[in-house]
Amino acid sequence: MAAIPRLPEGFVWGTATSAFQIEGAVDEDGRGPSVWDAFTATPGKVRDGHTAATACDHYHRYEEDVALLRRLGADAYRFSIAWPRVQPDGQAVNEPGLAFYDRLVDAGVTPMPTLFHWDLPQALEDRGGWLDRDTAHRFAAYAAAVADRLGDRVRHWITLNEPFEHMALGYALGQHAPGHTYLLDALPAAHHQLLGHGLATAALRAAGAPHVMLTNSYTPAIPYSGSEADTEAARAYDTLHRRLFTDPVLLGAYPDLDGFGLAGPLPFVKDGDLDAIKAPIDGLGVNYYNPTRVTVPEPGTTPLPFELAEFEHVNTTDFGWPVIPSGLTQTLLELTADYGPALPPLWVTENGCSYDVEPDADGRIRDQARIDYLEAHVKAVAAAVEQGADVRGYLVWSLLDNFEWAEGYHQRFGLVHVDFATLTRTPKDSFDRYAALIAEQRR
């Protein structure tokens, strides 16, 4: 075992999941359809036509999964609440759906629920989804309903998960639900998600929530070369991916978007919006997987001022993502330097890797590559802390192999192997190593 530097006293260790990826039971107890149910039902949208109708069946097997968390020694369990299970039409509360999260919160591991992890009720999408300003207000009402029910037992709340990805993949490029290809016309979906975050934060505070966070994905933008053009392209990508979703929350203003042909005030930003968005938060969630290499595009190939390029001569996961742990240190330190006193404590709310390792003849799953990945990234967190970043927790993505969005069941991120034919759970070697790491950190 590689030595892992000791993180500060009280550092939180755990894992993360999301509702649509693990729960299944999409037609049970009054749950309504989400945009992802519609997307997966559309031929050609998900690899091999997979759906999440059953997924990991966490809805029925949550006690087994929480027992795994206890065996792991996890301090916290980050899960998401399915909005269409709680409010099938995006408005009225469905009691049986909310009761499921009552049971989950009481199951025995400190809960860290995320209110929105991309599964918008289809009824709200039919009225415009996140392009419609009213969805932000519907989200606040949903947050209030959930907090009213669970707030006496939940201390840590996360409003949104990765609003950049939901805007970019779901509304701009069509690769995720709801499948729109609006390119830069998708920007209202960014603003309305952030407005929803601000309004939901106010609703959570009104219910007595002591700790509220927003989780963004973060990726250092690395110029393809040292040229001025590539450097400017990387700066533009950083503006769209990082600053667009961080500046309003921490600084109360959007970054300059002139490079995207958007000079002047954004027409969808109304008086009072930025004040709502800038409501104080108690932590900023950091989802990190890899840096992004950026270059200047060939003329006429894209309306964007950048295009993505591949890293060369680096190891990759089975998803093809480069394995660069130092990028996590860089991310945490850049946030610390760039936002200064406005930055709340940081939490690594997702970090993990896809490696498809099946059980040996003896049933053991020897996923050494995942062990190496996790050890290296925990060391990267420790390096950032040593250099001044205030990081309070680290959550592995993911507890279970699950439904990986448009990839279906082809990418395995779990510490626990799931046989999707039988739903049998088998902890991998990485599960045991992470459990040992947590125990070591507590000694």
Side-chain angles (χ1 to χ4, degrees):
M1 290 185 186
I4 304 293
R6 183 171 296 278
L7 275 297
E9 188 73 24
F11 193 87
V12 173
W13 301 94
T15 67
T17 64
S18 88
F20 190 77
Q21 294 178 269
I22 67 168
E23 282 183 4
V26 297
D27 296 319
E28 293 190 35
D29 292 336
R31 180 190 180 276
S34 75
V35 293
W36 269 97
D37 294 289
F39 191 79
T40 57
T42 304
K45 294 296 186 181
V46 176
R47 191 172 168 187
D48 291 343
H50 292 163
T51 76
T54 302
C56 305
D57 198 30
H58 180 71
Y59 190 75
H60 298 111
R61 297 169 181 254
Y62 73 91
E63 291 177 314
E64 178 182 358
D65 295 335
V66 171
L68 286 166
L69 286 164
R70 287 196 294 268
R71 174 176 160 186
L72 185 68
D75 297 311
Y77 176 36
R78 180 186 171 219
F79 58 92
S80 78
I81 293 173
W83 191 350
R85 197 177 292 286
V86 173
Q87 292 182 330
D89 64 355
Q91 298 185 75
V93 171
N94 172 45
E95 172 58 30
L98 195 49
F100 168 69
Y101 298 105
D102 243 341
R103 298 191 295 273
L104 183 57
V105 162
D106 287 342
V109 176
T110 300
M112 187 179 285
T114 300
L115 289 168
F116 180 69
H117 198 131
W118 304 351
D119 49 352
L120 186 74
Q122 183 62 38
L124 293 182
E125 174 60 25
D126 292 341
R127 295 198 287 273
W130 286 110
L131 295 175
D132 181 1
R133 182 180 179 85
D134 187 59
T135 300
H137 294 277
R138 299 281 67 77
F139 182 61
Y142 153 67
V146 174
D148 181 65
R149 181 63 169 267
L150 305 180
D152 59 330
R153 287 152 290 156
V154 173
R155 172 177 170 77
H156 297 280
W157 296 90
I158 298 173
T159 55
L160 305 175
N161 178 77
E162 295 185 349
F164 168 79
E165 273 72 14
H166 191 53
M167 177 206 71
L169 300 179
Y171 286 86
L173 302 175
Q175 297 171 2
H176 279 188
H180 300 308
T181 54
Y182 297 143
L183 295 178
L184 288 173
D185 288 337
L187 283 174
H191 178 66
H192 295 148
Q193 285 185 87
L194 291 179
L195 179 60
H197 154 75
L199 297 175
T201 297
L204 292 169
R205 298 296 192 202
H211 193 274
V212 179
M213 297 198 293
L214 167 72
T215 282
N216 283 323
S217 69
Y218 289 105
T219 172
I222 309 298
Y224 183 79
S225 73
S227 72
E228 184 177 343
D230 281 348
T231 299
E232 187 58 36
R235 188 175 295 115
Y237 183 81
D238 182 68
T239 296
L240 190 66
H241 190 135
R242 180 179 72 136
R243 294 188 56 208
L244 184 70
F245 293 89
T246 311
D247 285 17
V249 176
L250 300 183
L251 306 179
Y254 279 106
D256 184 345
L257 297 175
D258 285 359
F260 297 88
L262 298 167
L266 298 172
F268 41 79
V269 179
K270 307 302 182 186
D271 288 347
D273 285 3
L274 289 169
D275 288 337
I277 292 170
K278 193 178 179 290
I281 54 176
D282 306 290
L284 180 65
V286 173
N287 289 358
Y288 171 82
Y289 290 94
N290 52 261
T292 299
R293 199 175 191 192
V294 186
T295 188
V296 63
E298 292 294 327
T301 59
T302 174
L304 299 172
F306 58 78
E307 67 179 12
L308 307 187
E310 293 186 0
F311 287 92
E312 299 162 353
H313 311 301
V314 298
N315 293 330
T316 61
T317 68
D318 285 356
F319 215 150
W321 296 353
V323 179
I324 305 178
S326 61
L328 178 52
T329 306
Q330 181 180 347
T331 293
L332 298 169
L333 292 178
E334 285 181 347
L335 286 167
T336 300
D338 292 350
Y339 291 98
L343 186 72
L346 299 170
W347 293 68
V348 178
T349 42
E350 285 183 25
N351 177 238
C353 51
S354 171
Y355 290 108
D356 189 359
V357 181
E358 292 297 318
D360 288 349
D362 61 0
R364 182 174 170 185
I365 301 169
R366 305 171 191 269
D367 58 335
Q368 184 62 44
R370 180 173 288 103
I371 292 172
D372 295 342
Y373 180 101
L374 294 176
E375 288 183 344
H377 284 79
V378 171
K379 288 180 180 179
V381 173
V385 170
E386 184 178 355
Q387 295 175 66
D390 183 2
V391 187
R392 302 293 178 88
Y394 177 85
L395 309 179
V396 172
W397 184 270
S398 178
L399 174 65
L400 304 170
D401 291 338
N402 55 48
F403 180 83
E404 181 51 37
W405 307 115
E407 286 290 308
Y409 297 104
H410 287 282
Q411 302 296 338
R412 291 183 176 271
F413 280 85
L415 297 170
V416 176
H417 179 276
V418 177
D419 182 324
F420 292 110
T422 66
L423 300 176
T424 299
R425 277 88 158 127
T426 305
K428 305 174 186 179
D429 281 5
S430 59
F431 178 99
D432 294 331
R433 174 63 186 113
Y434 189 44
L437 186 157
I438 293 171
E440 291 163 6
Q441 290 284 323
R442 290 182 180 146
R443 290 192 188 118

